[in-house]
Amino acid sequence: MKSLSLNLKILLIFFIPAIALVYFSFSFVQAKYKTLNESAMYKLSANITDSLSKLVHNLQIERGLSAGYIATSNHSKYKEKLQEQYISTDKAYTEFLKFVDIQSKEKNSIIQSIGHINQPLIKNIIKEMSHIEDIRTSVLKSNINFKDEIQYYSYINYNLIKAIKSFITILKKQSNDNSALSKLQDLKENAGLERAYIYNQLLSSNLQDNRLENIKTFQSLQDSAQEQFFIDASIKSTLIYTNIMKKAQEDNVIRLREKFFKNLLSNEDATKWFQVSTDRIEMLEKISSSILNRYIKISNDVYSNALNSLYFTALLWILSLVSLSILTYILRNLIKTEEHLMDELRISAYTFDSHEAMTITDVNGTILKVNDAFTKITGYSRSEVIGKNPRVLKSMKHGDDFYREMWRQINTAGKWSDEIYNKRKNDEIYMERLSITAIKNDKDITTHYIAQFLDISDVIKAQEEAQHQADHDFLTGLLNRKSLMQRLNEEFIKAKRHNFLHAFLFIDLDEFKAINDNYGHEVGDKLLIEFSLKLQQLVREEDIVARISGDEFAIIVLNINKIESEAIKGVKNLCNQIINTLKDPFILNENNLSISASIGIKLFPQKEKNIHDVMIHADTAMYQAKHQGKRQCVFFDKAIELKLKHYQLLEEEVKQAYKNNEFKIFFQPKIDTKSGKIVGAEALIRWQHPQKGLLYPDLFLETALDIGMTHNITLLALHNTCKFLESTQGMLSGTISINITSDELVNPLFQSELILIIKKYNIEASKIELEITENELIKDFDATIEIIKKLKEFGIKFAIDDFGTGYSSITYLQKLPVNSLKIDRSFLDNISQTADQELVSMIVNIAKTFNMCSIIEGVESKRQLEFIQKIDADQYQGFYFSKAVNEKGFKELLSRQAHLD
């Protein structure tokens, strides 16, 4: 650059921008010129489409009038109107031919775009229109039948509408209403055919059923086209439709249709039908024309904007030439100082560029200069940061107080130095050692700031890696024994302070030494890594997993359920998952390796003095698991172990009880409070244990729920209940209720099973009532309501069980379509208390308000019965009348009641 002349330098400075300006201006002008042509083409296409639509409209009217004319014998009454329509049709056809004959660049563009589609259509239209006078003569002489007349006009309209749709495809570049316009044409055509057919039938002396079916088809096609129009139309086109199309007009057409199909219209109503349907079709034509006018307006606006842009570009060129002249003069003066400035920059570069990143800012913090080390560390180029504030590097890891203290020191001491987190261009956060110094002039006023920094992230990373290696197992990446002891101590202290319950799992891999001996330490190491990954997948994020040594691992399960029985189940479930996940062999170096684990479990804190006791107890339990045959888990606490064995035994007994048909259904009678008669029953499950006798649900139902047996028991109750109702047809006036859970109710499979079982026994669905507790009902409230409504349509009834013990809410009762409200027995326990009496009375009144049957459970004394009679409760259950009895006993009660009646 230094060896070039001044003129050549100026030429080089302006040559490239000038070429760019010419290039982009030319591209801009070319684009706007193209827009001009396209908008003119859109406008012409919209006008042609409108002309075609008007011709279709007039042909539709002529078709309808002709259809009526050939059907009536009173020709003089309808001839004049038909001949007037001939004139309107010819006028619309003449307007159409003007567009056919027009020659323009825009039309050529349209022909290139869709000519292969619409040229055959236009030829067909012109060809068929040449025969229209012959058709008209035949109509006026009644020498043509209805079918041929309809076919002639409909064929022309078919080609016209097809041509319209081809022109509309051009308009879709301007708006997405092209599909809606197409559906509007289909709607008009089917409305026109309906008009013609009904007009013909009203004026004809004999009605034809096949034409009635055609009319229904045209009506259906109109509904479909109208629906699709609203789906495809833009908001503006939808508003055009709703503003023009009057609902009253639509209603008049619908009303006359209905009268026609009921044979309530006579020949005298033909003119009224034609006028009403024509008014509606006129509105559809007006909608089509209005939408097309929008296209034309948009095209005009685009055309005007493009033309204005071209004028503005020409003005910009003139201003650019003037500006270039002025800039040339200015640059001549600037280049004179170029050599002097370059010398100064070379000198400063030697001192500025070093291994330490440097930034110079003005007093406002705007970056003036950075060195190579800055760009290397931050990833920003000079051009990306010069003129900006150093805040671009801010990591957001430091609060406002940090920066306030930094600037306080700079402003008071003139400098600041510390470690700080900053952010590179790629968003990576790194640590740097930063020093900022204020530069002052002779008057002790700060003019600039110099910042120097070194990237120390590698040093920090090395320190963190060293710490990680010290805290973690080198092979698996899990916590090591030292870190495990530290975390166990922390959690032990927290548990004692906050009354938490944790579990320590000591895991030892069985026969791992044999794998090391037979396959080598490399395979053994891979096995340990794979096992550690499985452990991490099974535990929760907050739980702690560690490798103690060799093939020994540990898990600290944090904050398990404070209820000891639930905690035992949860920990037992986790241990079973660990043991079961080892059932599948590991495939390592093409070897299938099978391994198992023995687990010792210690719940803490209990009576342990320290964490060493916890580990020793868990270790002891682990060895006990090995002695018992490996591949199992053992609790250190003997009482817990006994409880666990009890749970396991009960689970097996429940499974066997179901297989052996030991579960029996008993019936708790429901008694009408006024008459004292049996009006229903509640089906209750009992376990006829072979050794322990008859067991009540509280001893086994929770276990059945844990092992997924409740659904089987529900189906058993449903089968037995339906079978009982089948065998006692007419003996029971009310319902038999069965308790279910919300999970069963929302299960589509259960809903299907329920209906199939009722149908199988051929009983009335209204004899079955499903009871659900109010807490269960609100789990998925909206879904529950819909399912209850569906099953009630089938006939099944519903009751809210244990009302008053959960989330009792008037809002729920308003929305729930249930039949009965069962009041929990606990409310009768203190019935001598005035408050309890008022509460039960209030619930009974609530049930009456919502037209529900009120049923009170647990009536065991005459005093309680007298009370519920006093408050007008509907029904009751309880030992005062009878305890729950088996099927035979319930039949005897019903027979005895029937005998007394």
Side-chain angles (χ1 to χ4, degrees):
M1 187 76 178
K2 190 163 61 173
S3 61
L4 298 177
S5 67
L6 180 61
N7 289 331
L8 188 55
K9 290 178 180 178
I10 294 173
L11 181 63
L12 288 172
I13 289 170
F14 289 108
F15 181 70
I16 295 174
I19 291 176
L21 181 62
V22 170
Y23 172 76
F24 288 113
S25 297
F26 177 76
S27 300
F28 180 76
V29 170
Q30 190 179 36
K32 290 301 176 182
Y33 184 72
K34 182 181 178 182
T35 302
L36 278 173
N37 292 335
E38 287 181 347
S39 59
M41 183 177 72
Y42 297 153
K43 180 179 178 182
L44 178 60
S45 183
N47 281 319
I48 293 173
T49 304
D50 194 40
S51 171
L52 289 168
S53 181
K54 284 182 170 57
L55 179 55
V56 170
H57 183 64
N58 280 280
L59 285 169
Q60 289 169 341
I61 296 174
E62 186 171 325
R63 176 180 60 193
L65 290 170
S66 299
Y69 187 85
I70 62 178
T72 184
S73 58
N74 187 6
H75 289 158
S76 59
K77 182 178 178 180
Y78 300 99
K79 185 174 184 179
E80 182 180 352
K81 189 171 183 179
L82 181 58
Q83 289 176 327
E84 287 175 358
Q85 182 56 42
Y86 290 161
I87 297 170
S88 298
T89 303
D90 291 342
K91 184 178 178 181
Y93 181 56
T94 302
E95 289 297 318
F96 161 70
L97 290 177
K98 287 181 183 179
F99 286 107
V100 173
D101 296 334
I102 195 172
Q103 296 295 326
S104 68
K105 183 172 63 176
E106 291 80 12
K107 185 178 178 184
N108 291 336
S109 298
I110 293 172
I111 291 172
Q112 289 178 5
S113 178
I114 61 170
H116 66 287
I117 299 173
N118 67 18
Q119 282 179 353
L121 299 173
I122 300 299
K123 288 179 181 179
N124 286 340
I125 293 164
I126 295 172
K127 178 183 176 182
E128 291 300 321
M129 286 297 291
S130 66
H131 302 305
I132 196 166
E133 290 302 328
D134 295 335
I135 296 298
R136 289 172 176 172
T137 300
S138 298
V139 169
L140 292 173
K141 292 181 179 181
S142 297
N143 290 336
I144 188 171
N145 60 40
F146 174 73
K147 180 180 178 182
D148 292 339
E149 180 266 337
I150 287 291
Q151 187 173 1
Y152 171 75
Y153 285 104
S154 297
Y155 180 70
I156 300 175
N157 283 349
Y158 168 77
N159 285 282
L160 283 167
I161 291 171
K162 212 170 178 188
I164 287 171
K165 291 181 178 180
S166 68
F167 280 104
I168 287 173
T169 59
I170 293 177
L171 300 178
K172 73 178 181 180
K173 295 179 181 178
Q174 213 172 25
S175 172
N176 58 2
D177 276 326
N178 57 302
S179 179
L181 276 169
S182 297
K183 293 303 175 184
L184 198 58
Q185 295 299 327
D186 294 337
L187 175 57
K188 280 177 55 192
E189 176 63 6
N190 285 292
L193 285 167
E194 179 194 18
R195 173 179 60 191
Y197 270 71
I198 293 179
Y199 192 49
N200 174 269
Q201 291 291 282
L202 289 173
L203 292 174
S204 179
S205 58
N206 60 336
L207 299 178
Q208 297 185 28
D209 293 338
N210 63 327
R211 292 184 186 173
L212 295 179
E213 291 302 317
N214 289 336
I215 292 168
K216 291 178 180 178
T217 301
F218 298 144
Q219 292 172 358
S220 175
L221 290 172
Q222 288 177 68
D223 294 339
S224 176
Q226 185 183 50
E227 181 181 356
Q228 194 61 45
F229 170 83
F230 284 115
I231 291 171
D232 296 339
S234 64
I235 293 175
K236 288 187 177 179
S237 294
T238 303
L239 289 173
I240 289 173
Y241 187 101
T242 54
N243 288 335
I244 292 175
M245 180 58 69
K246 306 302 181 186
K247 186 177 184 301
Q249 196 62 42
E250 296 268 22
D251 293 341
N252 286 339
V253 171
I254 294 169
R255 191 158 42 252
L256 287 175
R257 280 178 184 167
E258 292 173 351
K259 287 185 177 182
F260 171 75
F261 281 106
K262 293 178 181 178
N263 292 324
L264 299 178
L265 297 181
S266 64
N267 290 6
E268 298 300 323
D269 295 309
T271 302
K272 182 179 180 182
W273 159 254
F274 194 89
Q275 187 58 49
V276 169
S277 59
T278 299
D279 288 345
R280 174 173 173 255
I281 296 171
E282 291 282 0
M283 290 179 185
L284 293 173
E285 173 60 22
K286 188 175 180 181
I287 292 166
S288 174
S289 183
S290 297
I291 294 173
L292 287 169
N293 284 335
R294 272 192 64 239
Y295 281 109
I296 294 169
K297 183 179 182 305
I298 292 170
S299 298
N300 286 333
D301 291 343
V302 172
Y303 187 91
S304 299
N305 290 337
L307 195 59
N308 291 335
S309 296
L310 290 174
Y311 290 147
F312 178 76
T313 303
L315 177 62
L316 189 63
W317 262 100
I318 296 170
L319 293 174
S320 298
L321 290 172
V322 174
S323 300
L324 284 171
S325 301
I326 296 171
L327 285 171
T328 302
Y329 173 77
I330 295 171
L331 283 171
R332 283 178 180 272
N333 294 323
L334 291 174
I335 291 173
K336 290 179 182 179
T337 59
E338 175 190 11
E339 296 296 335
H340 177 67
L341 291 173
M342 287 299 296
D343 290 339
E344 289 187 358
L345 286 173
R346 285 192 198 95
I347 295 170
S348 62
Y350 284 110
T351 56
F352 190 65
D353 281 329
S354 66
H355 70 286
E356 191 173 29
M358 297 184 70
T359 308
I360 299 176
T361 71
D362 63 16
V363 73
N364 296 317
T366 302
I367 297 175
L368 304 176
K369 191 170 179 63
V370 297
N371 65 356
D372 290 340
F374 175 92
T375 62
K376 183 178 179 181
I377 292 173
T378 65
Y380 287 100
S381 66
R382 285 181 169 84
S383 61
E384 288 176 314
V385 293
I386 290 176
K388 296 184 178 178
N389 192 284
R391 280 192 295 269
V392 297
L393 305 176
K394 197 171 183 179
S395 67
M396 307 305 292
K397 277 184 165 286
H398 304 285
D400 293 340
D401 292 342
F402 177 87
Y403 292 103
R404 273 195 292 269
E405 177 58 22
M406 179 183 79
W407 281 107
R408 187 191 68 78
Q409 290 189 34
I410 293 171
N411 292 330
T412 55
K415 58 183 179 180
W416 175 89
S417 179
D418 204 345
E419 292 178 355
I420 185 173
Y421 284 102
N422 267 338
K423 183 172 67 174
R424 306 186 209 275
K425 181 182 177 180
N426 63 3
D427 291 337
E428 178 188 350
I429 306 298
Y430 68 99
M431 176 77 81
E432 68 183 26
R433 181 70 188 179
L434 174 64
S435 297
I436 301 176
T437 303
I439 305 301
K440 300 184 179 183
N441 61 15
D442 296 339
K443 297 179 181 179
D444 201 31
I445 297 173
T446 301
T447 60
H448 296 82
Y449 295 100
I450 294 180
Q452 300 166 269
F453 60 87
L454 280 172
D455 182 358
I456 60 172
S457 56
D458 287 343
V459 177
I460 300 299
K461 185 178 180 181
Q463 292 174 348
E464 290 175 350
E465 286 180 354
Q467 185 61 47
H468 184 273
Q469 290 175 4
D471 294 338
H472 291 75
D473 174 51
F474 74 95
L475 178 64
T476 62
L478 300 176
L479 293 178
N480 57 22
R481 184 183 182 90
K482 182 194 77 171
S483 299
L484 174 69
M485 298 292 286
Q486 180 181 337
R487 291 298 306 275
L488 180 59
N489 187 58
E490 292 171 0
E491 299 303 333
F492 187 81
I493 294 170
K494 288 180 188 177
K496 279 187 168 294
R497 182 183 303 130
H498 300 293
N499 196 29
F500 293 153
L501 183 60
H502 303 325
F504 186 87
L505 276 55
F506 200 115
I507 306 168
D508 183 85
L509 297 179
D510 303 323
E511 308 300 338
F512 177 74
K513 184 177 182 300
I515 291 175
N516 259 344
D517 293 342
N518 294 328
Y519 298 96
H521 288 282
E522 180 183 353
V523 172
D525 288 347
K526 287 182 179 179
L527 178 60
L528 293 175
I529 292 169
E530 291 295 322
F531 177 67
S532 68
L533 292 173
K534 286 182 180 290
L535 284 183
Q536 292 174 84
Q537 291 170 358
L538 292 173
V539 300
R540 302 168 301 171
E541 187 176 349
E542 63 267 28
D543 296 335
I544 301 165
V545 184
R547 182 186 178 202
I548 299 175
S549 66
D551 59 349
E552 294 180 336
F553 294 81
I555 299 175
I556 305 175
V557 186
L558 298 174
N559 300 333
I560 50 180
N561 201 308
K562 289 186 178 180
I563 301 173
E564 190 178 79
S565 59
E566 294 299 323
I568 293 168
K569 291 180 183 179
V571 175
K572 176 70 173 178
N573 183 51
L574 173 60
C575 292
N576 286 337
Q577 288 182 57
I578 295 170
I579 292 168
N580 290 334
T581 197
L582 295 176
K583 287 183 178 180
D584 296 327
F586 293 87
I587 302 174
L588 300 171
N589 292 4
E590 300 182 355
N591 298 307
N592 288 346
L593 304 179
S594 296
I595 198 166
S596 62
S598 298
I599 306 174
I601 309 165
K602 173 60 181 163
L603 298 181
F604 73 93
Q606 291 178 330
K607 297 179 181 179
E608 306 82 19
K609 296 178 181 178
N610 49 48
I611 60 172
H612 297 289
D613 288 348
V614 174
M615 292 190 70
I616 291 169
H617 292 169
D619 186 39
T620 302
M622 183 272 292
Y623 277 105
Q624 182 63 34
K626 282 188 177 292
H627 291 316
Q628 290 180 192
K630 304 178 183 179
R631 197 187 293 272
Q632 58 183 287
C633 60
V634 171
F635 283 86
F636 174 78
D637 308 78
K638 299 303 177 185
I640 291 176
E641 197 65 36
L642 287 173
K643 288 181 183 178
L644 192 59
K645 287 181 179 178
H646 172 73
Y647 295 147
Q648 292 171 336
L649 178 61
L650 186 58
E651 287 175 0
E652 288 302 317
E653 282 189 311
V654 168
K655 291 176 184 177
Q656 288 300 319
Y658 183 78
K659 289 180 181 179
N660 298 336
N661 199 26
E662 294 173 9
F663 290 119
K664 305 297 180 183
I665 301 301
F666 278 55
F667 297 95
Q668 174 73 58
K670 289 190 285 190
I671 313 303
D672 183 80
T673 307
K674 293 179 180 177
S675 66
K677 293 182 178 181
I678 300 171
V679 290
E682 179 181 358
L684 301 172
I685 193 74
R686 298 289 187 265
W687 181 4
Q688 189 65 55
H689 196 284
Q691 287 82 38
K692 301 176 184 177
L694 193 66
L695 300 181
Y696 287 84
D698 56 337
L699 297 177
F700 62 86
L701 209 53
E702 184 179 350
T703 303
L705 180 63
D706 290 341
I707 61 175
M709 291 286 293
T710 50
H711 182 59
N712 303 72
I713 292 174
T714 300
L715 292 180
L716 175 67
L718 188 59
H719 274 288
N720 279 269
T721 298
C722 291
K723 187 176 179 182
F724 176 83
L725 288 168
E726 182 187 36
S727 66
T728 57
Q729 293 283 0
M731 294 182 69
L732 189 67
S733 61
T735 62
I736 296 182
S737 57
I738 300 168
N739 291 280
I740 65 168
T741 65
S742 62
D743 290 337
E744 287 179 302
L745 181 63
V746 300
N747 187 338
L749 179 61
F750 172 74
Q751 297 165 29
S752 302
E753 290 174 331
L754 172 64
I755 293 172
L756 286 173
I757 292 170
I758 292 173
K759 288 181 177 179
K760 175 184 175 182
Y761 291 97
N762 195 27
I763 63 169
E764 295 179 19
S766 59
K767 291 291 185 181
I768 298 297
E769 185 174 60
L770 301 181
E771 286 189 16
I772 314 177
T773 63
E774 55 181 322
N775 290 349
E776 288 280 315
L777 277 170
I778 65 170
K779 280 185 179 179
D780 193 350
F781 191 66
D782 293 334
T784 300
I785 289 176
E786 294 304 315
I787 294 166
I788 290 175
K789 287 179 179 177
K790 174 185 171 184
L791 293 176
K792 283 195 73 176
E793 288 177 4
F794 181 68
I796 296 168
K797 295 183 178 180
F798 285 85
I800 301 177
D801 195 14
D802 296 341
F803 184 80
T805 61
Y807 301 97
S808 305
S809 169
I810 300 299
T811 304
Y812 293 143
L813 291 180
Q814 284 179 315
K815 295 180 180 179
L816 282 169
V818 298
N819 305 91
S820 303
L821 198 65
K822 297 193 73 173
I823 303 169
D824 188 72
R825 64 185 303 128
S826 61
F827 289 100
L828 292 183
D829 292 343
N830 297 312
I831 202 65
S832 59
Q833 302 293 327
T834 303
D836 285 345
Q837 291 179 5
E838 291 176 352
L839 183 58
V840 175
S841 178
M842 180 184 69
I843 296 174
V844 170
N845 288 329
I846 289 172
K848 292 184 184 299
T849 301
F850 292 106
N851 296 318
M852 297 179 187
C853 174
S854 57
I855 306 171
I856 299 181
E857 300 176 303
V859 176
E860 298 180 354
S861 67
K862 183 178 180 181
R863 181 184 177 189
Q864 290 174 334
L865 176 60
E866 289 172 348
F867 168 71
I868 65 172
Q869 288 173 333
K870 178 182 176 182
I871 63 174
D872 201 22
D874 295 310
Q875 299 174 15
Y876 74 90
Q877 293 175 217
F879 285 4
Y880 183 74
F881 181 87
S882 170
K883 64 179 180 178
V885 293
N886 59 20
E887 181 180 328
K888 181 182 177 182
F890 191 44
K891 281 184 179 179
E892 290 175 356
L893 288 175
L894 291 174
S895 298
R896 192 181 308 147
Q897 178 172 286
H899 180 72
L900 292 174
D901 289 343

